[in-house]
Amino acid sequence: MNHALTSGTPWRVMIRFAIPLLIGNVVQQMYQVADAMVVGQHLGVDALAAVGATNGILFLLIGFAQGMTQGFAIPTAQAFGAGDARGVRRSVAAGTILTAVASLVLMVGAPLIIRPFLGLLRTPPELSDQAVTFATVNFLGVAALMFFNYLSAIIRAIGDSRTPLVFLVIACLLNVALVVLFVQVMDLGVGGAALATVIAQLTSALLCLGYLVRSIEALHVGRADWRVGAAALGRQLKIGLPMGFQQSIIAIGTLAVQVSLNGLGATAVAAYTTATRVDGLAVAFLMSLGLAVSTFTAQNLGAGYTERIKTGVRQALVMSFVVSLFLSVTLVSAGNPIVRSFVGSGEEAVVAMAHEYLVINGALYVVLGVLFVTRSALQGLGRTLIPTLAGVLELAMRVSAAVVLSQVLGFQGIVSANPLAWIGASMLLVPAWIVARRKLPADVRSLKEVPFAEGQVEVTFPPASDRLLENNDVLPSSASAPSKESDNQPQGQSDADESKHSGDQVVKGQNRSYVDSAGHEQKNQRHDDGNTGEGTREDIVHHGAEPLRVR
């Protein structure tokens, strides 16, 4: 089911879009929590610390790939918002090719560098063998993770965040069951925990693919769509690579933290690993809101609704502030009992250190919320340079904290790395968003689509005046830019009574119409299939673009 985010009250449509993402993030964090509980309580603290010791290398390589695949979906969302069916299909094809290449590189190359890499990180010797096993199994199955993330991203790009949630829940439940089977029953160790995750991710990827083939005609890629040229691949990489590098830059900072953390011993590693699991659950809504802002911005940019983008981001910032305050109070007041559920009895040192992490990080969740919203808004606009530079600044702050503060404050200095990184990045992202917001009208008028195939005619995204008008909507007498109205609805959706005084013409019947950029009315036929309220609409949204079929 396709849900455009270009109409309705901005904060409401973003919440509606973000709730499935939130549930998905929480469920995903929960199955990671289940992994940690099973590994920690059945295999011991050393096994739990070994899993945690792989966080750096997994985040560096897989984080890059995941950020890149999310970037590949942004052109899809922009094309969908503009109603460009060919653009949607070509962007899907180009992203699929690049995702497959990245998966192959990781599967072949990553297992070869795991042990040397862990050595560079000064991983404690007693953790090395289990850490190598856990990371190797994950990398051998990385294609499942890559394609699940990519297929979920392009389904969300057309406004459907619920279906990927269903498949994620299925995968998480399967993962929990398999972890118990492989670790507790079959005694496969940390390798069994990693294998359970790979099988669950493969299942979810296949479910996404089956749903896409059966139900989403807009994403069906034909033979001709696979003949993508350098321009199409270049456009995907222009957005995907910076988003991937941004994740890698953050991961490098995490690796610097990991090096200093490993020097403090297995207890510190176990405490940090436990705290990051709880932290991941806490910030799930902020992450989900960020993804919603990115898709919302991209779709409305394609449609040309710039005032709606400004209002939506402002409302998202307010929501992030309120939720961040609630999370901060919860973690500071209830951190200890939460942490105790992760470790066995007698691990008071682990509990105390993990709670210290939660207090220091939770106190600055407000800054993290601002970071997620502004960064995602810029990425949705296709502006990737500033978020990448913000990632570099995060890296500098994390490394400084890990190298300098850890020598002075020990564990406290290490856990201060994240808040310092958030502050540094926000100092760059907030001014960048303010500048981008002021430039939005001029940017949208001049925005042009890069050709998806060699020799294809350049297509300009339609201005807001080229939007579709639903039955009984008002058809303006001449094309004009969108104006600010209640709930930031696209211009032209006022009451019919008002049109009597303004000279506007009311369009009635089963046909659908739009006003082209020259101010001329264009009509499109609606073909009903005989069912009330159903039927396939073939809506031509702008000149030079194939109709986008929405069922």
Side-chain angles (χ1 to χ4, degrees), residues 12-56:
R12 287 178 178 170
V13 299
M14 282 190 288
I15 286 290
R16 187 165 59 242
F17 186 84
I19 285 176
L21 297 176
L22 170 62
I23 297 173
N25 273 326
V26 170
V27 170
Q28 198 166 23
Q29 293 293 332
M30 287 301 294
Y31 90 69
Q32 291 177 352
V33 166
D35 283 355
M37 286 182 173
V38 173
V39 170
Q41 296 189 7
H42 183 73
L43 301 179
V45 171
D46 280 355
L48 178 62
V51 172
T54 66
N55 286 345

Side-chain angles (χ1 to χ4, degrees), residues 16-286:
R16 187 165 59 242
F17 186 84
I19 285 176
L21 297 176
L22 170 62
I23 297 173
N25 273 326
V26 170
V27 170
Q28 198 166 23
Q29 293 293 332
M30 287 301 294
Y31 90 69
Q32 291 177 352
V33 166
D35 283 355
M37 286 182 173
V38 173
V39 170
Q41 296 189 7
H42 183 73
L43 301 179
V45 171
D46 280 355
L48 178 62
V51 172
T54 66
N55 286 345
I57 186 171
L58 291 175
F59 189 14
L60 176 64
L61 298 178
I62 295 179
F64 170 80
Q66 288 180 312
M68 186 171 59
T69 54
Q70 289 175 8
F72 292 161
I74 287 179
T76 304
Q78 291 176 345
F80 182 79
D84 182 0
R86 175 179 292 182
V88 170
R89 296 198 310 271
R90 291 294 178 90
S91 67
V92 170
T96 301
I97 293 171
L98 294 172
T99 299
V101 172
S103 299
L104 182 61
V105 170
L106 283 176
M107 288 176 63
V108 174
L112 302 178
I113 65 171
I114 293 172
R115 190 173 290 275
F117 202 92
L118 291 174
L120 291 175
L121 297 180
R122 295 175 12 195
T123 303
E126 64 271 23
L127 306 181
S128 293
D129 288 342
Q130 293 188 86
V132 169
T133 299
F134 186 80
T136 299
V137 175
N138 272 284
F139 280 123
L140 290 177
V142 73
L145 173 65
M146 291 279 291
F147 274 97
F148 171 62
N149 278 279
Y150 177 64
L151 293 173
S152 296
I154 60 175
I155 292 173
R156 288 194 296 265
I158 63 171
D160 181 2
S161 59
R162 296 180 183 178
T163 302
L165 166 64
V166 174
F167 299 148
L168 179 61
V169 169
I170 293 173
C172 290
L173 293 175
L174 177 62
N175 183 84
V176 172
L178 290 177
V179 165
V180 173
L181 175 64
F182 291 163
V183 175
Q184 289 191 344
V185 178
M186 300 179 64
D187 200 22
L188 297 180
V190 294
L195 180 61
T197 300
V198 170
I199 293 174
Q201 290 166 346
L202 177 61
T203 301
S204 58
L206 293 174
L207 289 172
C208 279
L209 180 61
Y211 173 75
L212 189 152
V213 171
R214 290 193 311 272
S215 305
I216 310 181
E217 184 180 354
L219 299 181
H220 287 183
V221 179
R223 181 178 299 178
D225 300 316
W226 291 106
R227 294 195 291 269
V228 294
L233 296 175
R235 180 169 188 254
Q236 301 290 122
L237 291 172
K238 183 179 179 181
I239 298 179
L241 282 179
M243 290 182 66
F245 282 130
Q246 174 192 317
Q247 294 296 324
S248 291
I249 289 170
I250 297 172
I252 292 172
T254 303
L255 290 175
V257 171
Q258 189 73 52
V259 171
S260 299
L261 185 65
N262 289 341
L264 297 180
T267 299
V269 175
Y272 195 90
T273 301
T274 303
T276 54
R277 295 288 191 264
V278 179
D279 180 65
L281 282 172
V283 302
F285 176 79
L286 301 178

Side-chain angles (χ1 to χ4, degrees), residues 8 82 101 160 239 266 308 316 320 344 369 377 384 394 423 428 503 510 513 548:
V101 172
D160 181 2
I239 298 179
R308 181 174 174 80
S320 73
T384 54
E394 283 191 71
I423 293 171
L428 187 59
Q510 291 300 313
S513 302
L548 178 63

Side-chain angles (χ1 to χ4, degrees), residues 481-500:
S483 61
K484 292 178 69 174
E485 295 183 17
S486 62
D487 291 344
N488 288 84
Q489 293 284 354
Q491 182 190 4
Q493 295 185 0
S494 56
D495 293 333
D497 290 340
E498 295 177 359
S499 70
K500 295 178 181 178

Side-chain angles (χ1 to χ4, degrees), residues 25 29 32-33 271-287 327 331 338-339 342 354 357-365 368 372 398 415 418-419 422:
N25 273 326
Q29 293 293 332
Q32 291 177 352
V33 166
Y272 195 90
T273 301
T274 303
T276 54
R277 295 288 191 264
V278 179
D279 180 65
L281 282 172
V283 302
F285 176 79
L286 301 178
M287 294 174 61
L327 293 173
L331 286 189
I338 295 174
V339 171
F342 284 80
Y357 173 106
L358 295 177
V359 170
I360 293 174
N361 281 259
L364 288 173
Y365 278 163
L368 180 61
F372 275 128
R398 278 196 173 91
V415 299
N418 282 339
W422 301 340

Side-chain angles (χ1 to χ4, degrees), residues 257-337:
V257 171
Q258 189 73 52
V259 171
S260 299
L261 185 65
N262 289 341
L264 297 180
T267 299
V269 175
Y272 195 90
T273 301
T274 303
T276 54
R277 295 288 191 264
V278 179
D279 180 65
L281 282 172
V283 302
F285 176 79
L286 301 178
M287 294 174 61
S288 303
L289 182 61
L291 286 173
V293 168
S294 178
T295 304
F296 173 87
T297 303
Q299 284 197 11
N300 283 279
L301 178 67
Y305 301 140
T306 57
E307 289 299 323
R308 181 174 174 80
I309 292 174
K310 298 174 186 178
T311 300
V313 173
R314 183 171 63 250
Q315 293 176 353
L317 286 169
V318 173
M319 288 188 287
S320 73
F321 181 80
V322 173
V323 173
S324 297
L325 286 179
F326 171 77
L327 293 173
S328 298
V329 172
T330 301
L331 286 189
V332 170
S333 60
N336 265 332

